[in-house]
Amino acid sequence: MTTTENSPEARYAGDTRTVTLRVNGQEVTREVPTRTTLADFLRDDLDLVSVHLGCEHGVCGCCTVLLDGGSVRSCLMLAVQAQGHEIETVESLSADQNNLHPIQEAFAEEQGLQCGFCTPAMVLRTKEILADGQERTDDEVRHEISGILCRCTGYQNIINAVQNAGRKLRCGGAGGCGSAHDEAKGA
Amino acid sequence: MTTVENEKPRYKYIGSDRKRVEDPRLLVGRGGYIADLKFPGLLHAAILRSPVPHATIRSIDATEALKLPGVVAVVTGEDCKAHMNPCMNFGPSSIPQFPLAVDKVRYVGEAVAAVIAESRYIAEDAVELLEVEFEDLPAVTNPVAAMEPGAALLHDGHGSNIGYERTFEFGDVAGAISGADLVVEDTLHWGRSAGMPMETSGAVARPGLNGVLEIYCNSLNFSYFSFLIAGALKLPSNRLTMNPVPAGGSFGSKFTAHKVPTLAGFLALRTGRPVSYVEDRLDHLMNSDHHASDRYYDAKMGFTSEGIITGLDVDVVDDYGAYMQFGVGTHGNAFSQIVGPYGFRNVKYHLRAVLTNKCQQGAYRGFGSEVHNWVLERLIDKAAVELGLKPEEIRRRNFITNDQFPYKIPGGNVYDSGNYPAVLDKALGMIDLEHWRSEQKRLREEEGRYIGIGLATTQERSVFSATEFWALNDNPDFPLTSSPESATVTIDPAGQFQLLLHCQSMWGNSPETVGTTVLAEEFGIEPETVNVRYADTARALPGTGPGGSRYTVMLAGAVRGASRKLQRKLIDIAAHSLEVAAEDLELVDARVQVKGAPEKSLSLPELASTAYFFALNMPPGMESGLEESYTYDHPYTTLPSADRSDLGVFYPIMGHACHIAVMEVDPDTGTTKFLDYVAVHDAGTMVNPKSLGGHVTGGAAQGLGSTLYEELAYDDEGQFKSSTFMDYLVPTANEVPPFRIGHVETPSPFTEYGIKGGGEGGRMVTPSVVSAAIDDALREYGMRVRELPVKPATIVATVQAAIAESSK
Ligand code: FES
Ligand code: FES
């Protein structure tokens, strides 16, 4: 005989707390249950559904957001822990599909996505790693994006997109530096 | 790097690297996934899953759970028994399945009860408050032991743990083997993995108007099968509307994954309120409607001294798990390309599909044909070594030749077209194997490093016909022969295009890019200007959806068919307006013009205006409006013979691929590293080479996962051991090498534009090529990959055993 074991901790106590943080440049103050994850807070309270939940146990990285410019897994943080911090989701680059940010544009050009589920995380991670303005090798990029799983692309087109985005950003925008796009890819 | 044979472009849009029209919305985080859907008053379900592999459910006590504030209801198998019919099922009807276990649980992770609450948090709290008493039954985990008399039965009503057994023989295998100069044999095991998309399956169901139940879900591709879900829910078919929702990947795991939408629908019916059920990763890992193949082989292949294959004898036991919702379709896939690209005529295939206390099997990129291909290629590599032939040479000697197409293989399927030597030559041209072979020697001698070279091919069957669902059965319940795809093209009153697709087809492939590219080709408009939508099942024409690498071919056929009807109407309207004969008009660059006098023309907005607003300017009797639909049926399929000596033509659009890998293996740690990897694919006419390259790369990465990392493991007691992404190792960017991709284009004679499917080939050959490279690297230690995934510990043990043996 097997019986399911229960641990009826009174976890639905409904403790709430007020949290104030900046999200995509806007100050936000909300009352949230203390156990609400940052991911659920962003998705459900702020409708930032670009934050995707792939595992909710900290491995896939699809829920990545930038906290004070550095990537964190929003499924592993509580909303209340973001008190006083600055959060960026992919909407902070561009939420207008007719006017993409150069990093988003680079992903489109290189087809660095298929289903799009890991994509906001990959785009944010790209922003983070390119912040130093340095050129990097494909191998370095490969390593730097390895904390986010993509099941669709096999990563190569994502690496190409990061490199393409780096060229765009170093040249100051979408069109800059002529057609660096293919020739520098080292095909 | 992508290289394509030089050829002058035949089409303006088809065949060039265009940006995907799906991507802008995905890049701003608005993919419209199932978890993003919100309805007023939406409730959330969480599931209690069985902690034991095999047990009778004695009782479920929901008293405490129901007391928790915010909990709305608890639903169990008893409710299913009382208010539902069994779920849709293509397997034996003596193996019924409900979305919540009825009376008995049959694997760890099977759904036992659903809690519906105001939030997922509360629902999960309440799941922990459910009290279930299980009376344990013996766990059946080994498929061979499961067949023995006295083994505990999974399904009493089925009477045996063998779900299916049959031997198929085409040609004279005994003669081919006994007359062979060389017979190679092997015992092989292909372990369980799964598509494992980053997004799980999910559904939202809500009672709508007029007694209609609306289900939104990301996992049901057949628009004309929704009546089967209605049947399970005891609803008239016209009182269920399935709304397709784009998926964050599938790779087979969402192919007709019906339990999630069926359950959500049932919960909405029980509560009368909107309910969302989205699997979490644990739900998905242990119960994702289906895991993939888990097969044990004893296989034999005969050869002449020249390396020509004489015959193949396969005995396969497939560890199917607890249910058989897809029947033995994954073996039907093996039959579609049972001889690979090779010309031998004698094949025997003894199949036993065995029921065990594990999650059931279903689709994963390759649908079982990739497993057979691995067996085929493993045996050929073994023979090549024994005969002293290079891997490319033994394959070349056996290829079906270009003048033999269309080619009917043993078993009945037809290969439409191909150019296997061209693919092999292209792959060999992209890598300097002589260099690597001398490096291999040099590195071994000078640096003590172990380099291996693997080369393998695969057929890539595409565009399945529905006959494959039942062709292996003598008396199928429902021998359907249709697997159509539909499209509706509308030009609105302002001359803008709408394209309506009739199934759930956005899984990470690019149905909208394909559809709009074809429209662009047909009308001379820009693809990005077309708006694409998906029909719900109340509106949908027959649609089978993606799967079996069919969608690009089928959608191109449907869109082209609808386009032709619409072009005819536009020309007739223009002929009437311009007062010229229709034969003297042509549609060029979004205008209908007089042949030879293009200044006399009408634009699409002008023609649309006439069609919608000026009935008196239309040809007499013509209907107003500009909308045409077309349902494209399978381009080439035939029935199996009554005695199944011929399974018919069911998967004839045949792609081909050759991969070559150079790997380094560390014999002390068993770790592997790629030094180079070349992949050449022939998917007929390419619609978008960059997209195809992306699918080859993504597929190859998954093949690599199945070969080296991914395993849905159960222990001997039936306990599930792969319940997180820390245990189930999806390859990261660090594990996946930069594949160098090449393409060859051998158009299909049977499809529109000559397109073939190309969505699965990447995964179908990587396991063979990586297995071969590992063997080659450690040949001096007698390394032979016989089981996937190949674990470092197995490699080290083989090396250690060989060293111990040689030092005796
Ligand atoms: S959802 Fe946060 S890491 Fe997977
Ligand atoms: S694009 Fe699908 S998971 Fe990365």
Side-chain angles (χ1 to χ4, degrees), chain A residues 1-9 11-12 35-37 40-41 43-45 47-57 59-60 62 90-91 94-98 100 103-105 107-120 123 139 141-157 159 181-182 185 187, chain B residues 1 17-20 23-30 33 35-36 38 48 51-52 58 68-69 121-122 124-125 127-136 194-200 247-249 251 280-281 285 364-365 506-509 688 690-691 694-695 697-699 701-702 710 723-726 728 730-734 736-739:
Chain A
M1 177 86 66
T2 304
T3 308
T4 48
E5 299 212 350
N6 300 319
S7 48
E9 305 151 27
R11 289 192 305 166
Y12 178 64
R35 66 174 177 172
T36 303
T37 64
D40 286 342
F41 174 71
R43 288 182 55 82
D44 298 338
D45 291 56
D47 201 32
L48 294 168
V49 293
S50 67
V51 180
H52 295 153
L53 293 169
C55 71
E56 296 173 274
H57 53 249
V59 182
C60 74
C62 290
V90 80
E91 288 87 345
S94 170
D96 175 359
Q97 66 169 60
N98 296 314
L100 297 177
I103 295 175
Q104 292 162 318
E105 181 57 35
F107 272 75
E109 286 171 6
E110 303 295 341
Q111 296 193 9
L113 66 160
Q114 288 177 24
C115 79
F117 205 74
C118 72
T119 306
V123 167
D139 272 351
V141 174
R142 188 173 286 282
H143 185 65
E144 286 173 309
I145 62 164
S146 66
I148 302 170
L149 295 177
C150 174
R151 190 56 159 169
C152 296
T153 61
Y155 303 104
Q156 188 58 50
N157 286 355
I159 293 162
H181 166 41
D182 278 315
K185 212 164 64 178
Chain B
M1 180 179 82
D17 283 337
R18 303 187 60 83
K19 284 197 266 184
R20 305 189 332 151
D23 287 349
R25 68 168 186 264
L26 301 177
L27 282 160
V28 299
R30 285 297 178 277
Y33 305 108
D36 304 350
K38 288 170 187 165
L48 173 75
V52 292
R58 288 269 297 266
L68 196 65
Y121 286 73
I122 300 171
E124 290 187 12
D125 286 344
V127 162
E128 292 200 24
L129 297 173
L130 292 170
E131 299 255 8
V132 185
E133 270 186 299
F134 294 105
E135 170 128 10
D136 290 334
M196 208 55 64
M198 287 300 105
E199 184 212 35
T200 59
F251 322 108
D280 67 17
R281 185 54 58 183
L285 277 157
Y364 181 21
R365 214 168 193 168
M506 177 54 193
W507 285 358
N509 49 334
N688 188 323
K690 199 172 216 162
S691 298
H695 286 287
T697 306
Q702 291 180 333
E710 297 175 34
S723 47
T724 74
F725 272 159
M726 311 271 247
Y728 189 83
V730 171
T732 75
N734 287 329
V736 181
F739 300 105

